[in-house]
Amino acid sequence: MAGFNKVVHSYEDAMAGLQDGMTVIAGGFGLCGIPEGLIAQIKKMGTTDLTVVSNNCGVDGFGLGILLEDRQIKKMVASYVGENALFEKQLLSGELEVELTPQGTLAEKMRAGGAGIPAFFTATGYGTPVAEGKETREINGRHYVLEPAITGDFAIIRAWKADRYGNLVFRHTSMNFNPMAATAGKITVVEVEEIVEPGELEPSQIHTPGIYVQRVIKGNFEKRIERRMVRQD
Amino acid sequence: MALSREQVAMRVAQELQDGYYVNLGIGIPTLVANYVPAGIEVMLQSENGLLGMGPYPTDAELDADMINAGKETVTAIKGAAIFSSAESFAMIRGGHVDLTVLGAFEVDQNGNIASWMIPGKLIKGMGGAMDLVAGAQNIVVTMTHADKYGNSKLLNDCTLPLTGVGCVKKIVTDLAVLEVRNGAFHLLERAPGISIEEIQQKTAGKLVVDGDIPEMAFS
């Protein structure tokens, strides 16, 4: 039974085995649904030359943005990186490599990586800089670009509830890239708001089955809001 | 008079049909949600994984886990669905979204669009725009007809890196409504008080003016 108890009790244990030069896939969209404590642990470990795959790179001083401060990221694969002055500085100085990837293609690359599909054809990006150097094919009169899948040495994600088997439920739009990222990591580490007893999660309502998850840790989240918009009633 | 941002949004809203699933981009497209015609129901898709986006939250409703694709806090309407990014782009790529409205830097007479990158300036990324223009059944572009120096944004060929090829069907500018087909911009409507000559002068690409061109009507 211990083999199915995936709960770890320290961030050191959660990120054990992360080494320089590895690829880390991170869930989250902007600052929503990011594994705050796991990112902080990578900063603490000082691991460098990382390739980080995530829709965004956080903001200055929060989220994945903190990994730029000590130049831990060698290459970033993302769809949108416009929120971050330090990112811009390192990109322009050549310290940081970036591979801009359309958002849907990025999600599908992770999904394919986790599902054992090495590459897929998509119309997205055909005829644009994204397709440069890639195989294209005409299928039923439409042009498509061959996009390779992505897998990671680690995937770090955030969920709402988990049980010790690693079954996961996400909360609201903090789901975003987390389910695909979970499938694409050799070691998938989940930081959750709450750990519940097996059976408390309704089996048919589980978003990510525990087979994709290696480690679960209970975190405390700041949940910073990137653009706070409210209406007056 | 050239249209205001709100009037452009009002005109785009006339393109909405009852039962449409719609993705609205950042800027003027977002305003379209304020002008949904009475008596019809549309469902707003936000590509971070929300179908059935509602208005901004009240202070009491504010929730960091509930945002839209512009990373703004938002609400979900009754009957909304929330899902992953892969599911969201399956809807988009698979052609299930009826209408996408987005802004652009340039559009050309072959329906090509450039909206994400200006070389030499900061590269922010394309986000979901390339997926949206490749996948939506119907794409409406909103933009000013010319830039602040008077240079046309409706061109023979886009000069900036493309977002998508041959995908734009309709354009609503501050001066006109145009359809893109057969390698030309076809003038459909003009803004109240704007002459055909002014539109011709500010359209660098091939412009077809066929018959009387009505002024846009705002109820």
Side-chain angles (χ1 to χ4, degrees):
Chain A
M1 288 294 285
F4 283 125
N5 187 1
K6 299 177 181 179
V7 177
V8 297
H9 297 283
S10 71
Y11 284 104
E12 288 77 11
D13 288 344
M15 293 309 296
L18 181 71
Q19 291 170 15
D20 293 352
M22 281 187 166
T23 295
V24 178
I25 301 178
F29 183 92
L31 301 181
C32 184
I34 60 172
E36 299 174 17
L38 300 177
I39 296 167
Q41 176 62 21
I42 296 175
K43 176 159 172 80
K44 192 173 161 193
M45 290 166 77
T47 321
T48 60
D49 289 322
L50 296 172
T51 294
V52 175
V53 183
S54 178
N55 190 55
N56 316 94
C57 194
V59 297
D60 290 307
F62 198 71
L64 290 169
I66 66 172
L67 301 183
L68 296 168
E69 292 165 2
D70 300 318
R71 296 179 173 71
Q72 291 175 267
I73 303 177
K74 179 186 69 178
K75 179 179 175 181
M76 188 77 210
V77 181
S79 87
Y80 190 82
V81 291
E83 320 287 1
N84 201 312
L86 189 55
F87 192 96
E88 178 186 2
K89 187 165 165 280
Q90 292 184 14
L91 182 61
L92 293 173
S93 69
E95 292 168 281
L96 180 64
E97 190 185 336
V98 65
E99 184 178 323
L100 291 171
T101 304
Q103 198 174 123
T105 296
L106 185 61
E108 194 65 11
K109 278 170 173 266
M110 292 182 195
R111 199 194 70 80
I117 295 169
F120 57 92
F121 281 107
T122 177
T124 302
Y126 178 80
T128 77
V130 165
E132 280 168 18
K134 291 177 184 160
E135 185 182 337
T136 61
R137 189 177 298 182
E138 189 176 334
I139 303 173
N140 295 331
R142 205 164 173 214
H143 296 281
Y144 297 89
V145 184
L146 186 67
E147 291 282 2
I150 292 178
T151 55
D153 299 295
F154 273 77
I156 56 171
I157 73 166
R158 214 269 302 281
W160 181 25
K161 293 179 182 178
D163 61 26
R164 66 182 170 82
Y165 291 95
N167 294 311
L168 307 178
V169 172
F170 302 96
R171 187 169 178 276
H172 300 335
T173 61
S174 72
M175 182 187 298
N176 55 61
F177 280 82
N178 282 300
M180 287 76 64
T183 67
K186 287 193 193 85
I187 297 174
T188 291
V189 189
V190 189
E191 193 178 13
V192 300
E193 294 180 56
E194 189 181 349
I195 295 174
V196 301
E197 288 300 314
E200 283 188 42
L201 302 176
E202 172 65 35
S204 66
Q205 301 293 315
I206 285 166
H207 293 128
T208 292
I211 193 168
Y212 297 113
V213 172
Q214 278 67 49
R215 301 172 190 167
V216 175
I217 185 166
K218 187 185 173 310
N220 290 300
F221 300 94
E222 177 187 332
K223 290 197 182 182
R224 192 180 294 188
I225 290 174
E226 200 162 336
R227 300 217 168 96
R228 186 180 191 279
M229 302 294 283
V230 291
R231 71 173 197 273
Q232 308 301 326
D233 264 1
Chain B
M1 276 283 283
L3 301 185
S4 66
R5 288 161 54 87
E6 286 73 20
Q7 286 173 311
V8 171
M10 285 167 73
R11 177 59 192 83
V12 172
Q14 294 173 15
E15 303 292 314
L16 301 173
Q17 292 181 25
D18 199 16
Y20 260 18
Y21 292 101
V22 181
N23 184 291
L24 301 176
I26 291 164
I28 291 174
T30 303
L31 301 176
V32 173
N34 299 333
Y35 302 106
V36 177
I40 77 165
E41 192 176 13
V42 300
M43 192 77 98
L44 300 179
Q45 204 257 15
S46 189
E47 64 266 24
N48 58 316
L50 171 60
L51 191 62
M53 180 169 62
Y56 293 135
T58 61
D59 268 318
E61 292 169 333
L62 192 73
D63 188 330
D65 291 338
M66 197 67 218
I67 66 167
N68 64 20
K71 292 156 190 137
E72 300 170 330
T73 47
V74 75
T75 57
I77 63 165
K78 286 194 172 103
I82 291 173
F83 34 82
S84 73
S85 299
E87 185 79 50
S88 181
F89 283 95
M91 292 173 196
I92 290 165
R93 203 186 300 104
H96 305 278
V97 174
D98 296 296
L99 178 68
T100 284
V101 185
L102 78 168
F105 302 136
E106 297 174 344
V107 173
D108 71 28
Q109 63 199 26
N110 293 309
N112 299 325
I113 173 172
S115 68
W116 69 284
M117 179 186 174
I118 299 177
K121 295 197 177 176
L122 174 63
I123 299 162
K124 292 176 184 287
M126 69 290 285
M130 285 191 182
D131 308 278
L132 282 159
V133 300
Q137 297 289 306
N138 197 359
I139 296 165
V140 173
V141 168
T142 64
M143 59 183 192
T144 56
H145 211 96
D147 68 17
K148 60 185 173 183
Y149 307 105
N151 300 311
S152 179
K153 295 180 177 180
L154 282 69
L155 307 174
N156 291 304
D157 289 294
C158 289
T159 63
L160 296 168
L162 295 180
T163 309
V165 295
C167 51
V168 177
K169 305 243 175 37
K170 201 170 242 184
I171 306 164
V172 179
T173 75
D174 53 341
L175 304 183
V177 179
L178 307 102
E179 193 175 49
V180 187
R181 66 183 144 87
N182 302 328
F185 298 107
H186 294 255
L187 184 59
L188 300 182
E189 297 171 26
R190 55 201 169 83
I194 298 293
S195 67
I196 289 173
E197 290 69 29
E198 180 174 353
I199 294 165
Q200 282 171 326
Q201 185 209 333
K202 288 184 175 166
T203 306
K206 186 178 175 190
L207 180 71
V208 175
V209 181
D210 191 13
D212 287 336
I213 305 299
E215 288 190 349
M216 296 178 207
F218 295 99
S219 50

